[in-house]
Each structure stands twice: as structure tokens, then as C-alpha cells.
Amino acid sequence: MPGKENQQFNRSDSEPEPGERSTTPVSQSNRGSFIDLPSRYDRFEPLAEFIATFVLALATVAAAWSGYQASRWGGVQSTSYSQAGALRTESIRASTAAGQLTQIDIGLFTNWVNSYATDQQNLVDFYQDRFRPAFLPAFEAWLETDPVNNPDAPKSPFAMPEYSLPEMEESQELEEQASQKFEEGQEANQTSDNYVFMTIIFASVLFLGGIQSRLKSIQARLIIVLFSILTLSYGLYNLIVYPIY
């Protein structure tokens, strides 16, 4: 029948018969299309951005503070070393003066002994009158031990506990002060070095914060942000325990 033939002729080859399975290939455009599903980590991206910004701001302030404290403690170090040098100079001066006075005491006492041994009383009195007032207590205490007849007596007044030189005591005191200032300078130097190291730590936090923003993977960004937080926490803890000048 003509109508039936036209109906069969007009049916598209791509349209399957009822109950038949289509064998028409999928078009190239449909084959390349995919549904872009959001990653389960994408919801953390705004939080990661906020945390990274906060970490960067805190690290910037902490790095500036560390640099400031390092400079301050460097000044303390220089001052302490200078004071230690000045105190040692004064200590040497006092020690030199004490040595000169000791030589005077030794010379007068030696002449006194020689005069006493030769029974020259006028010279004995002459030298004894010229003993320094600071030497007389030790000399008199030595005479009371009867050194001529007592074999256990000290060999000279210089071995007596009464013999002391204020200049020598001053020299020792100044030397102790110089040593203390030098130790303070060493401690200040170590503290300055610690703050410099903390500056490096905070700079590494800034570096990590800078590179995380360039990464496309949110997982990698979260890992770097977490590592930045740990590094920042370590630096902030040290800033709390370090001394402040």
C-alpha cells in the first residue's frame, strides 16, 4: 500500500522500532560532558583562607617583635661587655697599687729584720716608725707570736691573717663585678641569638602562607596551613618564655 510504504520510508533510521533497543552511537558532544561534583574539602576553603590570613598577620607581628628584641638584647650585650672591660681595667689598677704597697712593706720589713739581727736599735726604730699604718696590726700580731723563740710562729707578718690590703680587696671585688658583667653580656648575646632564630621561624611561616595560596589542591593547602599553625605556635611559645628588655 502506498501509504504504508511512505510511512516506512519516512521513519528515521535512528528511531528504533517499539520494543527494539537503540543502536545509535552517542554523539561526540555528549560523550565528553561530565558533571563537576564539589569535593568534600571545598567547604573548608573559606575557613582555610581565614586561618591563613590570621596566621600571616600574627607571624608578621611576631617577626617584627623578635627583630626588635634581638636588637635590644644586642645593645645589652655591648653595654655589658664594655662595663666588664672598664671594671677589669680598674681592677688591674687597684691590683698594681696593692703590689706596689706590698713591695714597700717587704722592703721596710727586710731592713728592719737586718737591723734587728745586727742589734742596731736606732735603725730598728727608724724602719719601724716608717711602717705603713695598714701594716702595723700584722707586724704587732707577728711579734706577739715570739718568732725568735717560737718555731711554730709564722715566718713573717705577711703570713698573718691581720695583713690585708684594701687595694687588693678592691681589686678582687672589681674583678668579681667584671666577671658578673661579662656573664650578663654572654646571656644577653644568647638571648639575642634566640630572638634572631625566632625571626627565621616566623619568616618560614610567612613563606608557607605565601605558597599555600598558589596551590590548587585544597588538601595540600590545608596541610600547609596546619603546618604553619604548628610552626607559629612553637615560635609564640618561645616568645612567651624568653626574657623581654
Side-chain angles (χ1 to χ4, degrees), residues 2 6 41-42 45 51 78 86 90 145 147 151 156 167 175 189 206 209 221 239:
N6 293 334
Y41 295 101
D42 289 347
E45 185 171 2
I51 294 176
S78 300
E90 292 298 318
T145 62
S156 70
E167 292 77 9
E175 179 62 29
N189 179 44
L206 295 174
R221 293 176 65 183
L239 288 188

Side-chain angles (χ1 to χ4, degrees), residues 82-148:
S82 298
Q83 292 176 348
L87 288 171
R88 282 205 168 92
T89 301
E90 292 298 318
S91 175
I92 293 173
R93 181 193 61 79
S95 177
T96 301
Q100 293 173 348
L101 294 176
T102 301
Q103 292 299 321
I104 293 173
D105 293 337
I106 292 175
L108 291 174
F109 177 72
T110 301
N111 292 333
W112 181 91
V113 170
N114 293 332
S115 301
Y116 182 85
T118 57
D119 198 17
Q120 301 181 49
Q121 188 62 37
N122 58 335
L123 290 178
V124 169
D125 297 336
F126 175 82
Y127 290 117
Q128 187 170 344
D129 291 340
R130 282 156 180 78
F131 286 160
R132 292 189 313 110
F135 177 71
L136 284 175
F139 176 75
E140 293 173 354
W142 178 71
L143 289 179
E144 291 178 359
T145 62
D146 193 12
V148 177

Side-chain angles (χ1 to χ4, degrees), residues 26-240:
V26 180
S27 64
Q28 188 70 22
S29 60
N30 293 334
R31 186 181 301 163
S33 63
F34 297 95
I35 299 176
D36 189 10
L37 296 177
S39 172
R40 60 176 178 171
Y41 295 101
D42 289 347
R43 64 180 182 272
F44 296 111
E45 185 171 2
L47 179 62
E49 287 289 343
F50 173 78
I51 294 176
T53 303
F54 180 76
V55 168
L56 288 176
L58 197 57
T60 302
V61 175
W65 173 257
S66 297
Y68 171 73
Q69 284 296 312
S71 176
R72 295 275 290 176
W73 282 105
V76 173
Q77 171 197 350
S78 300
T79 303
S80 298
Y81 284 160
S82 298
Q83 292 176 348
L87 288 171
R88 282 205 168 92
T89 301
E90 292 298 318
S91 175
I92 293 173
R93 181 193 61 79
S95 177
T96 301
Q100 293 173 348
L101 294 176
T102 301
Q103 292 299 321
I104 293 173
D105 293 337
I106 292 175
L108 291 174
F109 177 72
T110 301
N111 292 333
W112 181 91
V113 170
N114 293 332
S115 301
Y116 182 85
T118 57
D119 198 17
Q120 301 181 49
Q121 188 62 37
N122 58 335
L123 290 178
V124 169
D125 297 336
F126 175 82
Y127 290 117
Q128 187 170 344
D129 291 340
R130 282 156 180 78
F131 286 160
R132 292 189 313 110
F135 177 71
L136 284 175
F139 176 75
E140 293 173 354
W142 178 71
L143 289 179
E144 291 178 359
T145 62
D146 193 12
V148 177
N149 302 314
N150 183 10
D152 296 330
K155 302 301 181 182
S156 70
F158 303 101
M160 300 295 295
E162 289 80 4
Y163 183 76
S164 62
L165 293 171
E167 292 77 9
M168 183 59 67
E169 295 176 357
E170 180 185 2
S171 174
Q172 294 175 353
E173 182 179 354
L174 290 172
E175 179 62 29
E176 292 176 358
Q177 294 178 7
S179 299
Q180 182 179 357
K181 286 296 180 180
F182 184 79
E183 291 178 359
E184 291 177 0
Q186 287 183 318
E187 293 176 358
N189 179 44
Q190 183 60 50
T191 303
S192 178
D193 291 343
N194 291 340
Y195 274 110
V196 170
F197 178 68
M198 286 302 102
T199 303
I200 298 174
I201 292 295
F202 294 125
S204 66
V205 175
L206 295 174
F207 171 76
L208 292 174
I211 64 173
Q212 67 86 23
S213 61
R214 297 180 176 272
L215 299 177
K216 296 181 179 180
S217 173
I218 185 61
Q219 297 95 322
R221 293 176 65 183
L222 288 174
I223 292 174
I224 292 180
V225 169
L226 179 60
F227 185 72
S228 300
I229 293 174
L230 295 176
T231 306
L232 179 65
S233 301
Y234 169 75
L236 292 178
Y237 170 77
N238 287 323
L239 288 188
I240 294 174

